[in-house]
Amino acid sequence: MDIAQNAALVVIDVQKGFDDPVHWGPRDNPAAEENITALIDAWQSTGRPVVFVRHDSPKPNSPLRPGQEGNDFKDVVASRRGKGSGPEVLITKTVNSAFYGTPDLREWLDALPHGEAAEGQGRQLVVTGIQTNMCCETTARMGGNLGYEVFFALDATHTFDLEGPDGWKLTAQELARATAVSLHGGGFAKVVTTKELVAAASS
């Protein structure tokens, strides 16, 4: 795996409001925050660009709505913002895709220097954060559609059990697996591990 020097790490919605088990229900992957931390540290230590995304929910009952503690970033993100030597931006959004936020993510990414490592290939994105099958998957799909080479750090995401139509229910683990199959099998993104990404960024 080759990771360009200008490959952007997109850290999506790592917010305190997702720690509310009453609102969200059971989650998967308790190692997600540890892996998110490892990716941020690897990107910042190598001067690569990092995008921090925050969901400002307009829903009155959401733990992520502005003005509530749940809207704040978790400590693993809050303590690392502004600590890298590379480009950094905060994107706020009210919908799933980080490409529909403020400031415009695509414009910010495309304004980054291309660098020799990116010549002849699509611009690279690494997607991590919360929730696997919601904002992370949506952002990865849109990134793929826009022509970016997207790497999806599955073990650096997590999600929650969910009920759909007709009483259908899927566990968080089942949803994460479905996301991985859809993204990787559908050609939207390459599903990879944190260990692989850290090794590639450090080489």
Side-chain angles (χ1 to χ4, degrees), residues 68-83:
Q68 307 298 311
E69 184 180 4
N71 182 254
D72 296 341
F73 285 121
K74 295 188 183 188
D75 290 344
V76 296
V77 164
S79 64
R80 285 170 171 79
R81 287 188 59 206
K83 300 296 176 64

Side-chain angles (χ1 to χ4, degrees), residues 151-165:
F151 295 94
F152 194 85
L154 184 66
D155 64 352
T157 73
H158 81 77
T159 191
F160 304 91
D161 293 4
L162 193 64
E163 182 173 341

Side-chain angles (χ1 to χ4, degrees), residues 93-106:
K93 63 181 179 61
T94 59
V95 294
N96 299 104
S97 176
F99 284 97
Y100 287 119
T102 304
D104 186 279
L105 175 57
R106 187 180 186 184

Side-chain angles (χ1 to χ4, degrees), residues 1-73:
M1 182 192 315
D2 292 324
I3 296 295
Q5 182 59 35
N6 68 343
L9 179 68
V10 184
V11 185
I12 299 176
D13 303 350
V14 184
Q15 293 166 252
K16 293 180 179 179
F18 282 118
D19 289 336
D20 182 353
V22 175
H23 185 88
W24 302 103
R27 64 169 278 185
D28 69 337
N29 192 19
E33 285 83 356
E34 179 182 351
N35 289 329
I36 291 167
T37 299
L39 287 172
I40 296 172
D41 288 347
W43 252 249
Q44 290 186 327
S45 67
T46 56
R48 286 180 167 86
V50 179
V51 179
F52 293 109
V53 183
R54 188 185 72 217
H55 192 82
D56 291 346
S57 178
K59 299 178 180 178
N61 64 336
S62 173
L64 305 177
R65 67 192 186 278
Q68 307 298 311
E69 184 180 4
N71 182 254
D72 296 341
F73 285 121

Side-chain angles (χ1 to χ4, degrees), residues 45 69 78 101 128 145 148 176 179 186:
S45 67
E69 184 180 4
T128 178
N145 283 171
Y148 296 97
T179 289

